[in-house]
């Protein structure tokens, strides 16, 4: 069983589609092992996205991620890192496949509704950034 970190970004929460996003995960057989709503500070967003700190979009991205509450979740399932990214669709919603979350709901390359870890190492870092082991229920 694999785990990944999923975030419903501030635009997704503002659009009132938390349930829509979760329904897609559950319909695909993915289990939610942990979940909470938080509002990141700038320095917390910078720490989470530290891998992108040299990118031109870093400041804008960390501003956006602190612009409102987010929902952070640990997803669990077979091959869930790749499965989640398939359900999310490409970073740029214009390139995302039909039926994906980003194709359906994203409005911008930055405001793209969801985040998902991209590899086992990043998933481990990202999960531990938000949750301790007592907050994660394997089921
Ligand atoms: P994420 O990390 O959020 O799951 O998205 P991703 O892997 O598909 O994309 P990544 O390359 O890791 O970029 C992280 C987030 O930064 C914003 N972004 N803006 N303005 C731009 O060119 C640009 N490129 C990326 C997006 O919010 C992207 O999800
Ligand atoms: Mg990424």
């Amino acid at each position: 069983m694999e785990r990944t970190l999923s975030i419903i970004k501030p635009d997704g929460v503002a659009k009132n589609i938390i349930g829509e996003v979760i329904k897609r995960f559950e319909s695909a057989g993915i289990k939610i092992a942990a979940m909470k709503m938080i509002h990141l500070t700038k320095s917390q967003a910078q720490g989470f996205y530290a891998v992108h700190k040299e990118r031109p979009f870093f400041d804008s991205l960390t501003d956006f991620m602190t612009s409102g509450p987010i929902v952070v979740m640990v997803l669990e399932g077979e091959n869930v890192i790749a499965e989640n990214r398939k359900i999310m669709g490409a970073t740029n919603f214009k390139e995302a496949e039909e039926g994906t979350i980003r194709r359906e709901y994203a409005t911008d390359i930055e405001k793209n509704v969801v985040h998902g870890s991209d590899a086992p190492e990043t998933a481990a870092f990202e999960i531990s950034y938000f949750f301790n082991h007592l907050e994660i229920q394997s089921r």
Side-chain angles (χ1 to χ4, degrees):
M1 237 5 120
E2 194 173 66
R3 285 177 178 169
T4 193
L5 186 87
S6 167
I7 301 179
I8 304 177
K9 296 182 179 183
D11 60 325
V13 173
K15 283 185 176 123
N16 239 7
I17 54 170
I18 295 170
E20 278 302 317
V21 171
I22 290 175
K23 192 169 79 180
R24 284 162 185 254
F25 297 149
E26 292 193 326
S27 300
I30 292 170
K31 295 209 159 132
I32 295 168
M35 174 162 66
K36 62 187 167 192
M37 183 179 275
I38 55 174
H39 193 148
L40 290 175
T41 64
K42 181 80 171 173
S43 83
Q44 288 167 343
Q46 288 167 332
F48 180 74
Y49 278 119
V51 292
H52 292 318
K53 69 173 181 291
E54 305 304 335
R55 304 279 204 97
F57 58 79
F58 182 67
D59 197 48
S60 170
L61 173 62
T62 51
D63 271 350
F64 164 56
M65 290 300 289
T66 60
S67 66
I70 61 173
V71 175
V72 288
M73 290 174 276
V74 177
L75 305 182
E76 198 170 63
E78 223 167 288
N79 206 20
V80 74
I81 295 173
E83 283 299 312
N84 177 40
R85 289 184 70 87
K86 205 158 84 189
I87 294 168
M88 287 162 50
T91 309
N92 185 348
F93 72 104
K94 291 179 183 161
E95 288 158 18
E97 272 184 55
E98 207 69 57
T100 60
I101 293 171
R102 283 167 167 171
R103 177 64 174 257
E104 198 144 326
Y105 299 111
T107 50
D108 186 286
I109 190 165
E110 179 176 84
K111 294 172 184 63
N112 58 5
V113 185
V114 278
H115 163 86
S117 312
D118 59 14
E121 306 72 50
T122 49
F125 166 78
E126 292 177 359
I127 289 169
S128 67
Y129 198 80
F130 292 111
F131 297 98
N132 71 46
H133 70 283
L134 297 175
E135 296 173 312
I136 304 171
Q137 320 305 325
S138 253
R139 54 200 186 89

